């Protein structure tokens, strides 16, 4: 599985497609009160789908890190009990299956790593292939410490336990950052909706005042300018939030 890619299921594609279509048509109709313009604005659904896919990829990576933390917990316990890494993997899978209901990304990955080792691949290579697909700095760090311990000798169990504890702390810090980021994303969504709420409120309470904006070229230009300003503000806000994700 390539964690840099994401394929929508049929249900997800229908959900995001309908949601984005409704959002685009509703906003464009609110700003222009023109069915043709609203239908033409559906071309913006595809860029929104790309944004949805990026969000799903980011969510997938966050979930993988949380599952990887549980994998490290189980691995440390097995190593502390005297198991080798190769023999620890089946026990780790059993513990993860008790922790999670159904198949998860990390269970599939651990099974794949164990299968590769059983087919003759080295522990180092099996974990490195997994690391390359994740593009995660934290997982890269674990695999690097594993590779150093295997290739340079020494007490591999103690090295892995020490590095694993440090990595677990890093994942926990990332999780706290994700919580803060989620709050900022919610605030951004609220601020993004607020200008359109004001326009809808004015249109409802003062239709004669807003009528000029929908029936004259100058009014339409003003609404287009407002759309550009609001869109720019949303874009910059999203860039700032995503920068700290």
């Amino acid at each position: 599985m390539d964690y840099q890619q994401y394929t929508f299921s049929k249900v997800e594609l229908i959900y995001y497609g309908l949601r984005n279509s409704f959002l685009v048509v509703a906003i464009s109709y609110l700003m222009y009160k023109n069915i043709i313009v609203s239908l033409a604005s559906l071309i913006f659904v595809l860029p929104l789908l790309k944004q949805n896919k990026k969000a799903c990829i980011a969510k997938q990576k966050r979930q993988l890190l949380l599952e990887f933390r549980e994998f490290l917990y189980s691995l440390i316990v097995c190593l502390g009990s005297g198991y080798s890494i190769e023999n620890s993997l089946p026990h780790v899978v059993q513990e993860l299956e008790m922790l999670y209901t159904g198949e998860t990304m990390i269970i599939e990955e651990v099974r794949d790593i164990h299968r590769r080792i059983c087919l003759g691949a080295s522990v180092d290579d099996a974990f490195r292939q997994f690391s390359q697909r994740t593009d995660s700095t934290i997982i890269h760090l674990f695999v690097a410490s594993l590779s150093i311990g295997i290739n340079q000798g020494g007490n591999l169990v103690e090295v892995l336990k020490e590095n694993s504890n440090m990595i677990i702390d890093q994942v926990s810090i990332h999780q706290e950052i994700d919580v803060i980021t989620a709050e900022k994303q919610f605030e951004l969504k609220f601020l993004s909706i607020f200008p359109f709420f004001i326009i809808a409120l004015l249109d409802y309470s003062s239709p004669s005042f807003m009528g000029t904006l929908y029936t004259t070229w100058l009014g339409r230009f003003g609404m287009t300018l407002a759309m550009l300003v609001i869109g720019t503000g949303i874009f910059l806000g999203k860039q700032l939030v995503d920068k700290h994700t």
Side-chain angles (χ1 to χ4, degrees), residues 4-68:
Q4 302 302 307
Q5 304 294 328
Y6 189 87
T7 302
F8 287 131
S9 65
K10 290 183 179 180
V11 174
E12 288 176 325
L13 188 59
I14 292 172
Y15 168 72
Y16 286 119
L18 290 177
R19 191 187 73 171
N20 293 340
S21 298
F22 173 78
L23 183 65
V24 166
V25 170
I27 290 176
S28 58
Y29 187 77
L30 175 65
M31 300 299 289
Y32 296 101
K33 289 290 182 71
N34 188 300
I35 296 296
I36 296 176
V37 174
S38 297
L39 293 177
S41 66
L42 287 173
I43 61 174
F44 294 106
V45 169
L46 289 179
L48 288 176
L49 282 175
K50 290 183 179 179
Q51 291 298 318
N52 296 143
K53 183 169 290 189
K54 288 182 180 179
C56 288
I57 291 174
K59 181 180 179 181
Q60 180 176 257
K61 289 182 178 180
R62 289 195 297 269
Q63 181 61 32
L64 177 63
L65 277 182
L66 294 179
E67 294 176 7
F68 185 72

Side-chain angles (χ1 to χ4, degrees), residues 106-119:
I106 195 62
I107 291 176
E108 292 180 2
E109 293 294 349
V110 176
R111 282 177 178 165
D112 183 64
I113 291 170
H114 185 247
R115 183 165 51 249
R116 289 176 185 275
I117 294 173
C118 291
L119 291 175

Side-chain angles (χ1 to χ4, degrees), residues 5-224:
Q5 304 294 328
Y6 189 87
T7 302
F8 287 131
S9 65
K10 290 183 179 180
V11 174
E12 288 176 325
L13 188 59
I14 292 172
Y15 168 72
Y16 286 119
L18 290 177
R19 191 187 73 171
N20 293 340
S21 298
F22 173 78
L23 183 65
V24 166
V25 170
I27 290 176
S28 58
Y29 187 77
L30 175 65
M31 300 299 289
Y32 296 101
K33 289 290 182 71
N34 188 300
I35 296 296
I36 296 176
V37 174
S38 297
L39 293 177
S41 66
L42 287 173
I43 61 174
F44 294 106
V45 169
L46 289 179
L48 288 176
L49 282 175
K50 290 183 179 179
Q51 291 298 318
N52 296 143
K53 183 169 290 189
K54 288 182 180 179
C56 288
I57 291 174
K59 181 180 179 181
Q60 180 176 257
K61 289 182 178 180
R62 289 195 297 269
Q63 181 61 32
L64 177 63
L65 277 182
L66 294 179
E67 294 176 7
F68 185 72
R69 180 178 63 180
E70 301 303 325
F71 160 75
L72 291 178
Y73 280 132
S74 300
L75 182 63
I76 290 173
V77 172
C78 289
L79 293 176
S81 300
Y83 289 98
S84 65
I85 294 179
E86 297 92 329
N87 295 330
S88 294
L89 296 180
H91 295 281
V92 170
V93 169
Q94 291 177 1
E95 291 187 18
L96 291 174
E97 285 176 338
M98 289 188 291
L99 180 63
Y100 296 106
T101 56
E103 290 294 310
T104 63
M105 291 178 285
I106 195 62
I107 291 176
E108 292 180 2
E109 293 294 349
V110 176
R111 282 177 178 165
D112 183 64
I113 291 170
H114 185 247
R115 183 165 51 249
R116 289 176 185 275
I117 294 173
C118 291
L119 291 175
S122 66
V123 174
D124 190 7
D125 289 338
F127 274 95
R128 185 180 292 110
Q129 290 185 22
F130 163 58
S131 173
Q132 289 172 347
R133 287 184 286 105
T134 64
D135 191 34
S136 169
T137 304
I138 290 177
I139 296 177
H140 288 341
L141 178 61
F142 170 78
V143 175
S145 65
L146 174 64
S147 178
I148 292 172
I150 292 175
N151 296 325
Q152 296 186 3
N155 193 330
L156 178 60
V157 173
E158 289 300 321
V159 170
L160 285 182
K161 286 174 67 175
E162 183 177 347
N163 282 277
S164 295
N165 286 324
M166 180 180 65
I167 291 170
I168 288 170
D169 291 339
Q170 289 186 4
V171 174
S172 299
I173 292 172
H174 274 263
Q175 189 176 16
E176 293 176 3
I177 293 174
D178 287 338
V179 172
I180 297 173
T181 302
E183 294 176 357
K184 297 302 178 182
Q185 288 175 338
F186 177 78
E187 293 174 4
L188 177 61
K189 288 179 181 179
F190 177 79
L191 292 175
S192 300
I193 295 172
F194 191 72
F196 300 109
F197 173 77
I198 295 297
I199 293 173
L201 183 62
L202 289 174
D203 184 42
Y204 175 77
S205 60
S206 305
S208 57
F209 172 76
M210 294 293 291
T212 305
L213 297 176
Y214 297 125
T215 56
T216 65
W217 287 106
L218 185 60
R220 289 169 182 166
F221 173 77
M223 294 299 269
T224 302

